[in-house]
Structure formats: C-alpha cells, structure tokens
Amino acid sequence: MANPIFPCIFVGVMEKYRELCNRLTGLYEAGEAKSIVRMVLDVRFGFSLTDVLCGRVEELSANEKEELEEMMCRLEQGCPVQYVLGETSFFGHTFHVEPGVLIPRPETEELVGWVASSEESGAANGISILDIGTGSGCIACSLALVFPDAAVTAWDISDDALRIARQNAEMLHADVRFVRQDALMPPEDIGQWDVIVSNPPYICRQEAQGMERNVLDYEPHTALFVSDDAPLLFYRSIARYAQKALKPGGKLFFEINPLYCRQLENMLTEMGYFAVTLREDQSGRQRFIKATTHED
C-alpha cells in the first residue's frame, strides 16, 4: 500500500525550489525559468537535480541563503544568468564573463568546431590563427587548446574585453597573444595568417525590437549592433584585410547574420575569394561562411 505521507513530504521539500522558479516566470517561460534556477543551484552551490528534489535548498547556511537571494534579485531584474554566475560553458571549457563582453552563444561553438576540424584548418603544426573581435576570448582560447602548437592572436578594441580574455587564457592555460586593434582600421599585414576567424557585430539596429530585454539591457551594444545602412561593414573591412594578410590558400571564417548571407556570399566572390561556402547552424539558419584565398 502506498504511503500517503510521502507525497506531502515531497511537496514540502520542493516548495522552496518552486518559489524560486515562480519568481522568474514573469521574465521567462516556465521551462527556461526552471533551467536558470537549476543552473544557479548547480554551478554556485553544487546541487544536482536529486539534491534539489530532496530539499537540499532548505539546508543552505544563512550566508548562502543571502547570496542566493542577491542572485535571484539580479535575475528578477533581467540580468543574464551567465553574468550573475560570472561564467559560462563554451566548447567544453568554462569562461569568465561579465557585462563588458558578449555572452558566448552555442552557434559560435559550431563556428569553432568548423574551424577546428582537421579538414578545414589543415591541422598543420605551427599554423597561425587570428581571431578578430575576440570578446571573452572564447574562440581564440578554444582554438589554442585544440591546436597547442599554433600561433594564435586575438584582436579587440575594448580594454574590458581584452582584460577578460586574458584572464580566461590564463585560467585555461591557452597560449594566445592579445592585441588592442580596431577591425575597421587593420594594419598592412601581408601573408601572416593561415586562418582568420571572426564573429563581428552583425545585428542591425532595426532588429533590436525583436530581441530579449535581458540582451538589450545588459550585453555590450558595440559587440552586437551595426548600423542599418551598413550591415556588412565589419565583414567588408576584415575581408579586405584578409586578402593580403592571409597566406596563399588561407581560410577566412565568419559567423554571420542569416538575413544578409547572400549579400556576403556575393561580396566575397566579387572580392576574388573562391570556394565560398555557407553553412547552417543547428536551427537550420545560414549562420556561417568560409572563403579561401587562391594558392600561388
């Protein structure tokens, strides 16, 4: 015979967890609210789902409860959970993030995977890789760990981003050289890189009305937006630089705005790149492009 007391006990130990989730349902759908709360309890307090179901939340110390309350207040204000926790997972590694840098997205992991594949990069010892607009350093550090013998350099114009990226490189023991450099005013390099990769600002201002408030209110706009009348601004500047800066047969990789994929494809072809290839992300949207310079 089933014990009638057990459901009551189960409901009781779950009450605090449900209360935490309910505090976020005004900002997020129920499933996402639960995921955010579980992420906080897991990453910060080490609670597994089993721990949560067994009522471990009620066993937090007074200081831990105070910390949890502060985190929940920030989440209720719309602050992304990655900023609240100060970290996010990317390509199998943990990266520090804060409001000075864009939060790495799963789509960018797909870009790193494409660059990292031996077929695309050549997997040669000593290849030179440049990441333009590095932000948190997620692309550069991940590639440096995939190719420990590669010479990886990362540019950004933001001092905050470079500080955070250096911190991530040190934490992950990734050998990356960081340089403060404006992607719209690149140097006159010739034949320096085997691979150039970039996830530049590509969202037009007119698209902002369809974006989540937690992104608009907290993430750096300089890393997100480009003017409506110049959607390919950064792509054009980087592609022009890469024409000379890439070695013969070098490869250029971009994360892109699907709305302008054909325009970008045509631009790269007209600039003399060949093997221009679009690739979809896991959602089926044209999210990446690769182009190759001619062999000598």
Side-chain angles (χ1 to χ4, degrees):
M1 179 178 177
N3 187 343
I5 299 177
F6 178 76
C8 297
I9 295 175
F10 184 76
V11 170
V13 299
M14 288 288 289
E15 193 60 36
K16 181 62 176 178
Y17 172 61
R18 272 201 291 266
E19 175 193 326
L20 295 173
C21 295
N22 289 339
R23 290 174 63 174
L24 301 182
T25 52
L27 289 174
Y28 304 98
E29 294 182 358
E32 188 172 4
K34 289 180 181 179
S35 295
I36 290 172
V37 172
R38 283 177 54 189
M39 186 184 302
V40 169
L41 295 175
D42 176 18
V43 174
R44 174 58 191 91
F45 302 101
F47 288 172
S48 67
L49 178 58
T50 300
D51 292 329
V52 173
L53 296 179
C54 290
R56 288 283 308 281
V57 180
E58 298 288 355
E59 299 175 11
L60 291 171
S61 68
N63 287 339
E64 289 173 328
K65 288 180 179 178
E66 182 178 349
E67 182 179 1
L68 176 58
E69 178 60 24
E70 291 175 355
M71 298 175 80
M72 290 301 301
C73 287
R74 292 183 65 193
L75 291 169
E76 286 179 296
Q77 293 168 4
C79 186
V81 64
Q82 295 89 344
Y83 289 157
V84 172
L85 291 170
E87 65 180 61
T88 192
S89 177
F90 182 89
F91 211 70
H93 309 290
T94 298
F95 284 83
H96 169 64
V97 291
E98 57 186 76
V101 295
L102 196 69
I103 297 169
R105 266 50 175 193
E107 293 85 358
T108 309
E109 288 184 297
E110 296 180 57
L111 174 65
V112 171
W114 195 13
V115 179
S117 66
S118 58
E119 177 184 352
E120 298 300 342
S121 64
N125 289 331
I127 61 172
S128 55
I129 301 172
L130 173 64
D131 171 27
I132 298 180
T134 195
S136 65
C138 61
I139 293 176
C141 292
S142 297
L143 291 175
L145 294 172
V146 170
F147 301 114
D149 295 325
V152 181
T153 298
W155 292 355
D156 208 290
I157 196 172
S158 165
D159 290 330
D160 281 342
L162 290 171
R163 171 182 57 81
I164 295 165
R166 288 191 180 100
Q167 180 179 340
N168 281 320
E170 292 174 5
M171 180 175 62
L172 295 170
H173 304 289
D175 188 4
V176 180
R177 183 173 71 98
F178 294 98
V179 178
R180 191 180 191 279
Q181 177 64 55
D182 187 346
L184 299 180
M185 299 181 65
E188 295 293 331
D189 293 328
I190 298 176
Q192 187 163 343
W193 315 104
D194 295 289
V195 173
I196 294 177
V197 57
S198 182
N199 176 23
Y202 62 64
I203 302 173
C204 289
R205 290 283 176 180
Q206 62 189 358
E207 299 176 67
Q209 60 185 356
M211 297 175 65
E212 299 291 339
R213 294 306 310 175
N214 60 342
V215 175
L216 294 174
D217 291 346
Y218 287 91
E219 298 199 57
H221 285 202
T222 54
L224 288 168
F225 293 109
V226 68
S227 65
D228 294 339
D229 58 355
L232 302 184
L233 176 67
F234 286 91
Y235 297 104
R236 192 179 306 277
S237 178
I238 294 168
R240 284 175 177 164
Y241 167 75
Q243 283 178 304
K244 293 182 179 180
L246 279 171
K247 297 176 183 178
K251 294 180 172 61
L252 176 63
F253 292 86
F254 285 125
E255 183 172 327
I256 67 174
N257 187 332
L259 295 175
Y260 301 98
C261 64
R262 296 304 174 188
Q263 291 184 32
L264 181 54
E265 181 183 34
N266 292 337
M267 185 195 80
L268 292 173
T269 301
E270 291 170 1
M271 292 178 73
Y273 288 94
F274 77 106
V276 179
T277 306
L278 286 163
R279 176 174 285 197
E280 296 180 349
D281 62 19
Q282 291 185 352
S283 299
R285 306 191 74 191
Q286 299 284 9
R287 183 68 63 181
F288 318 106
I289 198 166
K290 181 196 73 172
T292 306
T293 58
H294 284 282
E295 300 276 1
D296 277 350

